[in-house]
């Protein structure tokens, strides 16, 4: 049986099948098999058609010709290259198996993934959540600092409290209300008495709110924000990582930014001495998204967005929140004078963190309709052994779909913005 010949005859063509989409070879993968470097995909395809497929080489790491023939016995006697037959079958809408760990539907989506067009943001940024008279009352502004502990050492927390104490004193010296602090511990190694002991030494007003379990980063901050806004009567909440130190001038700078800000915005503290690699506008301070390592959120924006999406256990929740803020017509900015010492750039990634990152990247891509990025995250999860097959991946039916807009950036991978260097 000659499958390609039958298809050509059925559609009235004598030479070429009705290909709608051409599959893109992986040059690095095929060059490694062939033992030479190919200048272009067309060169690799030509070599494959003349020589490579006879040696059972593959043009792509996700296409296993032996598995393809085993699962699709009707193509075993074909005299055409397996890659060409697979390409034709995909374009016919079929879902042939072609890899032992990646399902037929998943591979179809991967090879034929389409991008969703971005919509422009509003030209003007409406102040939808301003106070009735449009005037911010500086004296009523109350920042509440929220920190989630997780296997936090006593010395680390003491250092954080010491840096906060200096920042609180500077904010008070400039006439602002003294910021409060709310904490929870997702590792359940701290209790209120131990936290209060360190807080008393640093002369800080700290409120400890225990969680029933490790609920994750976004859910943990949502829990603290509810307490900050409802119990501590805060007007703004500052997410702060426990593994860093806030500059003595930072809280005062946040207060000044609140007083001069036109409209609503998420405000990110500038990480130093190693800045976050994502870009921001030097004049307007606008940025595609704000990192939650040091992030100021107003009560208004919390109520408008619902806070962090708790589908993200860890990573990408701040990216998603920022994009939803832009979607509402508000801004995300960097405060270059609110410095936050953070050493995250020097850390070595570990398998657990990488898994959380790719799990969250998958949810973010599904939410903002970035099919290629979602499939790349799923591929990494399967190849790392976290899932045996793409069919084992969690369902994403409950993830809401948002229309991508001008601030959405998946082309820069997990930086999600143009890099400054």
């Amino acid at each position: 049986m000659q499958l390609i010949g039958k298809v050509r005859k059925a559609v009235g063509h004598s030479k070429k099948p009705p290909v709608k989409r051409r599959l893109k070879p992986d040059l690095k993968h095929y060059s490694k098999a062939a033992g030479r470097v190919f200048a272009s995909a067309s060169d690799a395809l030509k070599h494959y058609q003349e020589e490579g497929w006879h040696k059972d080489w593959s043009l792509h790491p996700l296409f296993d010709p032996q598995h393809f023939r085993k699962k699709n016995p009707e193509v075993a006697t074909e005299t055409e290259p397996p890659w060409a037959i697979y390409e034709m079958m995909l374009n016919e809408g079929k879902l042939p198996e072609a890899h032992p760990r990646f399902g037929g539907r998943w591979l179809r989506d991967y090879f034929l993934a389409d991008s969703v067009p971005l919509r422009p943001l509003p030209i003007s940024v409406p102040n939808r959540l301003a106070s009735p008279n449009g005037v911010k009352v500086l004296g009523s502004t109350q920042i509440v600092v929220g920190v989630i502990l997780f296997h936090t050492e006593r010395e680390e927390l003491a250092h954080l409290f010491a840096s906060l104490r200096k920042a609180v004193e500077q904010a008070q010296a400039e006439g602002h209300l003294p910021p409060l602090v709310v904490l929870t511990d997702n590792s359940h190694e701290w209790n209120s008495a131990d936290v209060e002991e360190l807080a008393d030494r640093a002369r800080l007003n700290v409120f400890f709110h225990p969680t029933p379990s490790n609920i994750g980063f976004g859910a943990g901050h949502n829990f603290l924000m509810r307490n900050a806004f409802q119990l501590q009567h805060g007007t703004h909440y500052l997410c702060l990582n426990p593994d860093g130190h806030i500059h003595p001038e930072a809280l005062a700078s946040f207060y000044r930014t609140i007083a001069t800000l036109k409209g609503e915005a998420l405000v990110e503290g500038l990480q130093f001495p190693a800045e976050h690699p994502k870009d921001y506008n030097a004049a307007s301070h606008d940025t595609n998204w704000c990192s939650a390592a040091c992030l100021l959120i107003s009560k208004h924006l919390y109520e408008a967005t619902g806070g962090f999406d708790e589908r993200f256990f860890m990573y990408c929740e701040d990216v998603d929140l920022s994009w939803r803020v832009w979607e509402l017509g508000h801004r995300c900015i960097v405060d270059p004078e609110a410095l936050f010492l953070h050493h995250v750039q020097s850390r070595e990634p570990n398998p657990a963190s990488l898994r959380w990152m790719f799990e969250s990247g998958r949810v973010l891509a599904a939410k903002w309709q970035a099919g290629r990025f979602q499939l790349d995250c799923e591929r990494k999860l399967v190849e790392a052994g976290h899932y045996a097959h793409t069919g084992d991946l969690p369902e994403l039916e409950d993830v809401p779909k948002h229309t991508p807009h001008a601030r959405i950036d998946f082309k820069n991978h997990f930086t999600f913005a143009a890099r400054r260097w």
Side-chain angles (χ1 to χ4, degrees):
M1 177 182 68
Q2 298 295 309
L3 181 63
I4 286 187
K6 287 189 175 184
V7 172
R8 289 174 179 167
K9 185 176 181 180
V11 298
H13 291 280
S14 59
K15 293 184 179 181
K16 294 183 180 180
V19 176
K20 299 177 183 177
R21 294 282 301 276
R22 300 304 301 269
L23 306 190
K24 185 178 180 181
D26 186 307
L27 287 182
K28 184 178 180 180
H29 177 78
Y30 188 69
S31 294
K32 185 177 181 180
R36 53 174 289 192
V37 177
F38 295 95
S40 65
S42 59
D43 289 343
L45 277 169
K46 182 179 179 181
H47 185 274
Y48 171 78
Q49 291 166 355
E50 294 175 352
E51 180 181 343
W53 78 277
H54 296 291
K55 298 181 179 181
D56 224 15
W57 292 344
S58 172
L59 279 166
H60 199 283
L62 295 183
F63 180 73
D64 184 333
Q66 294 181 2
H67 187 80
F68 175 63
R69 285 192 294 268
K70 179 182 177 181
K71 292 296 182 178
N72 303 276
E74 69 274 18
V75 306
T77 59
E78 282 295 325
T79 58
E80 297 278 349
W83 181 257
I85 300 172
Y86 181 61
E87 181 180 74
M88 180 200 67
M89 295 174 77
L90 288 185
N91 278 298
E92 287 181 330
K94 296 178 180 178
L95 302 173
E97 283 200 40
H99 195 284
R101 303 185 69 188
F102 297 87
R105 183 178 298 278
W106 187 93
L107 286 171
R108 187 274 312 273
D109 292 343
Y110 185 87
F111 284 119
L112 303 182
D114 288 319
S115 61
V116 178
L118 302 180
R119 64 177 173 83
L121 287 168
I123 295 176
S124 60
V125 181
N127 184 9
R128 300 180 185 176
L129 300 176
S131 55
N133 58 7
V135 177
K136 293 181 181 294
V137 182
L138 182 60
S140 65
T141 301
Q142 175 69 74
I143 292 177
V144 180
V145 180
V147 181
I148 298 177
L149 307 179
F150 188 71
H151 299 307
T152 303
E153 298 290 340
R154 183 180 180 86
E155 182 180 5
E156 187 175 61
L157 184 57
H159 284 170
L160 177 67
F161 280 173
S163 69
L164 276 170
R165 177 67 243 168
K166 293 178 182 178
V168 168
E169 289 175 350
Q170 182 61 37
Q172 285 184 284
E174 295 188 15
H176 304 289
L177 292 175
L180 308 175
V181 183
V182 290
L183 278 88
T184 193
D185 177 23
N186 273 345
S187 58
H188 297 94
E189 297 169 350
W190 286 86
N191 56 50
S192 58
D194 291 336
V195 169
E196 287 171 5
E197 178 190 347
L198 288 181
D200 289 342
R201 291 184 183 180
R203 304 191 314 276
L204 286 176
N205 291 319
V206 176
F207 303 87
F208 185 76
H209 301 287
T211 54
S213 61
N214 182 4
I215 58 177
F217 182 89
H221 276 297
N222 284 347
F223 170 74
L224 288 179
M225 274 191 275
R226 288 192 292 271
N227 283 283
F229 294 136
Q230 295 174 9
L231 300 182
Q232 275 72 50
H233 307 292
T235 60
H236 293 76
Y237 176 87
L238 180 65
C239 296
L240 200 64
N241 274 21
D243 58 348
H245 307 287
I246 195 166
H247 191 275
E249 299 280 348
L251 289 175
S253 182
F254 278 128
Y255 272 113
R256 291 193 294 269
T257 298
I258 293 168
T260 59
L261 192 63
K262 295 180 180 179
E264 292 289 335
L266 293 181
V267 185
E268 175 187 0
L270 185 67
Q271 298 182 37
F272 84 103
E275 293 186 22
H276 196 287
K278 67 180 177 64
D279 196 14
Y280 67 92
N281 187 295
S284 68
H285 299 159
D286 285 354
T287 185
N288 274 17
W289 61 278
C290 291
S291 167
C294 183
L295 175 63
L296 188 72
I297 306 172
S298 70
K299 182 180 180 181
H300 294 306
L301 281 183
Y302 167 74
E303 292 174 345
T305 61
F308 294 111
D309 185 338
E310 298 181 10
R311 296 177 184 85
F312 301 92
F313 181 78
M314 187 175 180
Y315 300 119
C316 298
E317 63 284 299
D318 46 6
V319 181
D320 171 70
L321 175 62
S322 300
W323 289 350
R324 287 188 285 121
V325 166
W326 279 112
E327 182 181 52
L328 289 173
H330 305 294
R331 298 167 61 204
C332 296
I333 66 173
V334 172
D335 184 343
E337 296 183 4
L339 299 178
F340 179 63
L341 176 64
H342 204 214
H343 299 292
V344 69
Q345 295 296 319
S346 62
R347 290 181 185 169
E348 290 294 328
N350 61 69
S353 295
L354 287 174
R355 177 175 183 173
W356 286 333
M357 185 176 73
F358 290 125
E359 296 272 17
S360 293
R362 177 176 180 251
V363 175
L364 185 73
K367 189 169 186 177
W368 292 95
Q369 302 188 62
R372 171 61 63 187
F373 193 88
Q374 178 182 337
L375 294 165
D376 285 338
C377 289
E378 293 173 349
R379 176 181 176 179
K380 295 286 179 58
L381 289 166
V382 172
E383 290 178 343
H386 300 303
Y387 298 92
H389 191 276
T390 50
D392 300 330
L393 289 161
E395 297 290 342
L396 296 175
E397 281 89 357
D398 68 327
V399 176
K401 297 293 188 293
H402 289 247
T403 302
H405 55 71
R407 289 286 174 174
I408 306 301
D409 185 345
F410 284 96
K411 65 181 179 294
N412 285 291
H413 307 289
F414 278 89
T415 304
F416 300 114
R419 299 176 70 92
R420 298 188 68 199
W421 51 78

